[in-house]
């Protein structure tokens, strides 16, 4: 195995290159994974533009290696790791808690104050590289029915699954998803699988959503006056949280999974007077295993969301906004190209 590898390195806002860097070693308790697919998401774009809050809060710093949606094969294991992991196809949790604090001990390692986040926070290098090192405890094995494309969609899918479950919308319920991006569409897929009548609202990508079988797609101007039992905000618009409360039925549920670049004004009196339950979703962590099962069983098939798969040399252009062939919102990277 080579002692170096190719990796995408972000050195500052808009400054990046593919570099030859030292390959990771499998230290005690960790494994090395040969990356087969990695997704690019909105968080990566925020690091590219320099807008990501972690940069200003001291949780992240340049230079950094992005990539937290990934799938690959374990190629090396460190001391104390079950050798049965060798050769297994896996994806992994993004959130790496310290496993000792109160939150971690209560099963909420994704909210650990001292957590690392793969490719995001605490200096933990990400998956936009030929190889990746992660703790063995963070791995999830992939069945044969979940290929590398699906494997790299488990992390966003876990977020969406949690959002759909938080909405508690099933047969006889009507749910509205704001924002037809990757997370919004995945959430809509899980809501549909749960039996809910699903509506989507956005400013673009509506034709693509209709092509996925979502016939109830609207803009703000065309949205019909219907009772929505649940509203999921999967946008990055600062006005959407308040809009979600305006649109939801009294005694309904609003779920917030999108993040705005600036504070979102929300009048809590609207929540109280409508007896609304509001839920925030930070991470895919508690939903990863069930997402793998849903993909493996064919309950949800998100593959159409991937517009294209490109090599590391195209990452910078993608982060800068270059559109690639294909109508889907997601771009995957194959570091082996």
């Amino acid at each position: 195995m080579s002692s170096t590898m190719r990796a995408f390195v972000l050195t500052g806002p808009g400054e990046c290159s593919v570099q030859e860097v030292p390959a990771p070693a499998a230290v005690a308790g960790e494994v090395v994974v040969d990356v087969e697919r990695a997704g690019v998401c909105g968080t990566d774009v925020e690091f590219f533009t320099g807008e990501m809050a972690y940069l200003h809060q001291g949780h992240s710093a340049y230079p950094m290696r992005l990539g937290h949606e990934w799938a690959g094969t374990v190629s090396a294991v460190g001391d104390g790791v079950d050798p049965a992991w060798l050769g297994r196809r896996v994806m992994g949790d993004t959130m790496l808690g310290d496993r000792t604090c109160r939150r971690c001990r209560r099963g909420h390692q994704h909210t650990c104050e001292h957590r690392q986040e793969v490719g995001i926070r605490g200096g933990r290098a990400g998956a936009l590289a030929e190889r990746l090192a992660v703790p063995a405890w963070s791995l999830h094995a992939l069945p044969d029915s979940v290929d590398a494309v699906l494997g790299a969609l488990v992390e966003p899918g876990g977020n969406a699954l949690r959002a759909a479950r938080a909405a508690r919308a099933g047969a006889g319920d009507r749910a509205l998803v704001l924002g037809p991006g990757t997370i919004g569409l995945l959430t809509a897929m899980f809501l549909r699988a749960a039996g809910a009548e699903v509506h989507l609202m956005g400013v673009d990508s509506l034709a693509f959503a209709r092509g996925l079988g979502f016939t109830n797609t609207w803009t703000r101007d065309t949205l019909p006056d219907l009772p929505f039992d649940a509203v999921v905000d999967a946008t990055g618009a600062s006005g959407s949280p308040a809009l979600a409360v305006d649109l939801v039925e009294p005694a309904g549920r609003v779920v917030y999974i999108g993040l705005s670049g600036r504070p979102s004004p929300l009048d809590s009196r609207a929540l109280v007077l409508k007896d609304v339950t509001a839920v925030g979703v930070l991470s895919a962590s508690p939903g990863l295993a069930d997402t793998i099962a849903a993909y493996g069983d064919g309950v949800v098939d998100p593959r159409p969301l991937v517009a294209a798969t490109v090599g590391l040399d195209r990452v910078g252009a993608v982060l800068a906004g270059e559109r690639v062939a294909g109508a889907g919102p997601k771009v995957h990277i194959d570091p082996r190209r």
Side-chain angles (χ1 to χ4, degrees):
M1 186 179 294
S2 173
S3 61
T4 63
M5 67 174 185
R6 296 172 67 244
F8 175 81
V9 181
L10 185 62
T11 53
E15 300 174 0
C16 59
S17 61
V18 177
Q19 299 180 14
E20 197 76 17
V21 302
V27 300
E30 297 198 358
V31 304
V32 172
V33 176
D34 291 344
V35 180
E36 297 171 19
R37 289 289 189 283
V40 175
C41 90
T43 300
D44 301 320
V45 174
E46 289 185 23
F47 278 116
F48 182 80
T49 62
E51 297 172 355
M52 177 60 183
Y54 281 175
L55 290 168
H56 311 289
Q57 296 167 347
H59 296 309
S60 307
Y62 303 117
M64 61 187 304
R65 301 219 301 266
L66 303 174
H68 60 278
E69 305 173 2
W70 59 269
T73 300
V74 176
S75 57
V77 299
D79 289 344
V81 177
D82 186 346
W85 279 113
L86 277 171
R88 297 195 73 176
R89 300 177 52 256
V90 297
M91 62 79 55
D93 200 336
T94 298
M95 306 300 217
L96 308 180
D98 62 19
R99 307 189 80 196
T100 60
C101 71
R102 183 175 187 271
R103 296 175 191 172
C104 287
R105 286 185 280 107
R106 291 168 70 90
H108 307 305
Q109 97 279 347
H110 59 291
T111 67
C112 174
E113 183 177 357
H114 306 293
R115 70 185 180 272
Q116 291 183 320
E117 298 178 25
V118 177
I120 296 175
R121 170 175 165 149
R124 173 67 69 163
L128 291 179
E130 292 177 318
R131 276 171 262 165
L132 170 73
V134 293
W137 65 261
S138 70
L139 297 175
H140 289 259
L142 299 176
D144 291 341
S145 55
V146 177
D147 62 14
V149 176
L150 288 175
L153 287 165
V154 169
E155 198 279 339
N159 281 283
L161 173 64
R162 292 192 65 213
R165 286 181 170 173
R168 294 189 184 174
D173 297 321
R174 181 180 294 116
L176 173 65
V177 178
L178 308 179
T182 298
I183 297 297
L185 289 170
L186 281 165
T187 301
M189 288 178 175
F190 280 111
L191 286 166
R192 179 169 61 186
E197 177 188 313
V198 182
H199 294 246
L200 280 152
M201 191 184 88
V203 295
D204 54 21
S205 302
L206 295 175
F208 180 73
R210 286 190 288 272
L212 297 174
F214 295 105
T215 56
N216 298 309
T217 58
W218 319 100
T219 64
R220 182 68 184 93
D221 293 336
T222 62
L223 184 70
D225 185 14
L226 293 171
F228 295 105
D229 303 294
V231 178
V232 178
D233 175 19
T235 76
S238 62
S240 287
L243 177 61
V245 177
D246 289 341
L247 294 174
V248 75
E249 272 285 275
R253 298 175 72 86
V254 293
V255 180
Y256 297 118
I257 193 169
L259 285 174
S260 169
R262 61 181 188 273
S264 302
L266 176 62
D267 189 343
S268 63
R269 292 174 297 181
L271 293 171
V272 174
L273 295 173
K274 294 183 75 172
D275 199 33
V276 167
T277 299
V279 181
V281 175
L282 167 68
S283 159
S285 300
L288 295 175
D290 286 347
T291 300
I292 291 170
Y295 289 177
D297 295 341
V299 173
V300 168
D301 181 5
R303 271 177 283 228
L305 300 183
V306 180
T309 301
V310 299
L312 287 171
D313 60 339
R314 294 281 299 281
V315 174
V318 171
L319 291 174
E322 177 184 282
R323 296 292 297 172
V324 296
K330 176 64 66 177
V331 175
H332 272 180
I333 309 303
D334 183 346
R336 302 166 298 181
R337 292 190 175 186

